[in-house]
Amino acid sequence: DGGITQSPKYLFRKEGQNVTLSCEQNLNHDAMYWYRQDPGQGLRLIYYSQIVNDFQKGDIAEGYSVSREKKESFPLTVTSAQKNPTAFYLCASSIENSNTEAFFGQGTRLTVV
Amino acid sequence: GQQLNQSPQSMFIQEGEDVSMNCTSSSIFNTWLWYKQDPGEGPVLLIALYKAGELTSNGRLTAQFGITRKDSFLNISASIPSDVGIYFCAGRSNTGKLIFGQGTTLQVKP
């Protein structure tokens, strides 16, 4: 089945460690996005990519890094520089970056202890 | 960055009642999207709007793309318990960024 898959669903890490969240899609979408969601809040854009080997910072990129080496994959690394990394992370993709709907994965809940 | 103001923040209604929520922005958007999110899950797309003035329905849901391109509303008619969740609006700008509102939490009393 076509879709967008995030893994793992739950992730625990010690403070000070980098951690990478996986996002894979087999929808042949060009654009991919990473959002952060905190309890009771909306989705805030971390990074987005419109095409392979290209990505742009969103509104809260500090402490995060991404890569887009393949069309299907857009991994997000939460670095030790991110001061408050515990959150629900959502990945999305769309056919292109304009005038099309975006579809989400099931999310990864990261807890840093 | 660009912001969307979504209201109301939360609603607690009786089963069978109609619901209305809206989003406004100071910026123009090319596309408006409405999503529903269940706890611990990713948002699911409900309705997509592509033209100013467009009115689109999906079952009991109706959404409109404001004529100024700076606002959108979502109506749910005859609410049922499974409508419970968080509803988000999202606007896509001409730079490709997809910006989300803060969400409306809906609770339905049977």
Side-chain angles (χ1 to χ4, degrees):
Chain A
D1 288 345
I4 180 166
T5 302
Q6 290 184 241
S7 61
K9 178 74 170 173
Y10 300 96
L11 190 55
F12 294 86
R13 279 294 182 270
K14 291 185 178 180
E15 191 173 345
Q17 291 181 335
N18 291 357
V19 60
T20 297
L21 281 59
S22 170
C23 180
E24 303 277 333
Q25 52 96 4
N26 59 3
L27 300 168
N28 200 33
H29 285 175
D30 286 311
M32 296 187 74
Y33 312 82
W34 273 106
Y35 291 88
R36 171 185 171 131
Q37 186 177 29
D38 293 288
Q41 296 191 29
L43 282 64
R44 292 184 291 168
L45 182 63
I46 304 173
Y47 270 98
Y48 64 111
S49 169
Q50 302 176 21
I51 198 168
V52 174
N53 292 322
D54 184 58
F55 48 83
Q56 289 81 41
K57 292 182 178 180
D59 298 320
I60 55 165
E62 185 176 352
Y64 299 98
S65 65
V66 292
S67 62
R68 188 82 188 279
E69 297 176 1
K70 298 186 300 182
K71 188 175 186 178
E72 303 81 20
S73 179
F74 191 40
L76 173 74
T77 297
V78 184
T79 74
S80 57
Q82 168 51 232
K83 299 187 187 309
N84 186 20
T86 295
F88 190 49
Y89 291 87
L90 287 160
C91 179
S93 71
S94 63
I95 293 174
E96 56 180 2
N97 66 308
S98 64
N99 292 357
T100 58
E101 56 266 32
F103 299 94
F104 281 85
Q106 69 271 44
T108 292
R109 184 165 301 281
L110 172 64
T111 302
V112 175
V113 296
Chain B
Q2 292 172 295
Q3 289 188 336
L4 291 182
N5 296 313
Q6 185 172 348
S7 64
Q9 186 175 1
S10 63
M11 302 180 73
F12 189 88
I13 62 171
Q14 194 78 30
E15 182 178 1
E17 290 183 351
D18 297 343
V19 172
S20 183
M21 58 193 79
N22 70 86
C23 277
T24 60
S25 173
S26 57
S27 304
I28 289 174
F29 288 106
N30 297 327
T31 301
W32 282 94
L33 307 172
W34 284 93
Y35 291 85
K36 182 190 178 203
Q37 184 182 31
D38 291 323
E41 301 293 330
V44 174
L45 182 67
L46 298 174
I47 292 180
L49 302 160
Y50 301 108
K51 294 181 181 179
E54 179 182 357
L55 183 71
T56 298
S57 293
N58 178 8
R60 293 178 297 106
L61 278 60
T62 301
Q64 185 159 28
F65 192 143
I67 196 71
T68 65
R69 296 168 61 192
K70 294 182 179 181
D71 63 303
S72 177
F73 72 76
L74 174 71
N75 288 340
I76 305 174
S77 63
S79 59
I80 58 178
S82 62
D83 289 336
V84 166
I86 304 176
Y87 291 81
F88 290 101
C89 63
R92 190 186 287 282
S93 69
N94 56 8
T95 63
K97 288 173 65 174
L98 193 58
I99 308 298
F100 281 78
Q102 305 95 319
T104 296
T105 299
L106 178 64
Q107 294 178 291
V108 180
K109 183 178 180 181

